[in-house]
Amino acid sequence: YSTYLGGASSDRARGIAIDAAGAAYVTGQTTSSEASFPVLNPHSAGASLHNPGSGNTDAFCAKLSPDGNTLLYCSYLGGASTETGYGIAVDVAGSAFISGTTNSSDFPVAGPTQCGSGGSADAFVTKYSPDGGFLAFSTYHGGPSFEYGAAIAIDMAGAPYITGAVGPSLPTSPGAYDDSYADGGSDSYVASLVCSCPCWADPGGQPGACDGVYSDVVDVVQTINVAFRNQPSTKAFMCGSERTDVDAN
């Protein structure tokens, strides 16, 4: 099949994933308003384009039926500034995970491992419910410089792994194989978010915003070398986060 997906302004798909039934999940960026963009069954923060007319883009997530004839859900993802969805993966339950980049200080979070923006641009990881109607998990991921979440993969336990480009000042653990930034403009990175927070909810029963419960996390970081675009000077780090009020056993 072949179909258009977009609105009256600029829309660009950046990533695609297919589930076991053959349904297609797409992410990217859009400047099209809800008057023309095909919003369907959006999560609470995804019904409208944020800051329309400013030239900023929102990320989006859309799901198409296996035959391509039906849009099953489609929503915006973003804050008041600019977002782009670059990577998308789907788990065995049919939940879409998106990685990308945000410049917004009000990007929607739900049970986050990082509550707020760390620098000029941050990576983000967002997990949708299987029907697309709410954000099961959504977090910033970044330090005081810049990060781009270019691609994402999900392991068998449902943990997301992201990769992309990163600036200096990200944490590394004691004894890390390589804990230095190469200062070549950007390094690559790999981050594994090991978290038990996708089902956390705020007192109202909705996927949570930031408060003391969600910010109690412990980062475990290890750096490794990887090859990225044939640049031998690049590096990677792995990060897992867990709540401090959960028994590790």
Side-chain angles (χ1 to χ4, degrees):
Y1 68 81
S2 179
T3 182
Y4 289 99
L5 178 64
S9 190
S10 176
D11 314 286
R12 295 184 181 183
R14 300 285 191 177
I16 188 169
I18 308 298
D19 68 15
Y25 301 74
V26 181
T27 191
Q29 66 193 59
T30 180
T31 57
S32 296
S33 74
E34 59 273 19
S36 62
F37 195 71
V39 177
L40 178 66
N41 189 31
H43 62 91
S44 60
S48 302
L49 182 70
H50 298 82
N51 205 13
S54 66
N56 293 330
T57 64
D58 271 0
F60 69 86
C61 180
K63 179 181 179 181
L64 289 162
S65 62
D67 61 7
N69 292 337
T70 305
L71 183 66
L72 300 177
Y73 69 76
C74 184
S75 69
Y76 297 102
L77 178 63
S81 190
T82 298
E83 284 79 28
T84 298
Y86 288 110
I88 189 167
V90 59
D91 68 12
V92 294
S95 290
F97 288 72
I98 294 175
S99 66
T101 300
T102 178
N103 296 94
S104 298
S105 60
D106 59 347
F107 184 79
V109 295
T113 57
Q114 180 177 324
C115 288
S117 175
S120 59
D122 289 288
F124 68 80
V125 176
T126 297
K127 177 184 178 181
Y128 279 74
S129 62
D131 66 359
F134 70 90
L135 302 184
F137 171 68
S138 188
T139 187
Y140 290 92
H141 187 80
S145 184
F146 64 89
E147 293 79 29
Y148 299 96
I152 189 167
I154 309 299
D155 69 16
M156 293 302 294
Y161 292 69
I162 61 172
T163 189
V166 63
S169 304
L170 281 171
T172 59
S173 63
Y177 174 73
D178 192 335
D179 61 1
S180 61
Y181 175 68
D183 198 22
S186 66
D187 284 357
S188 64
Y189 74 98
V190 177
S192 171
L193 278 67
V194 183
C195 55
S196 58
C197 51
C199 294
W200 298 357
D202 66 18
Q206 299 299 315
C210 284
D211 63 21
V213 174
Y214 307 128
S215 61
D216 288 340
V217 296
V218 176
D219 286 340
V220 180
V221 184
Q222 178 184 6
T223 59
I224 58 174
N225 266 346
V226 297
F228 182 66
R229 294 184 179 177
N230 298 317
Q231 298 178 28
S233 64
T234 58
K235 300 172 180 62
F237 76 92
M238 302 181 68
C239 172
S241 299
E242 65 184 28
R243 285 176 61 178
T244 58
D245 58 343
V246 174
D247 188 344
N249 296 320

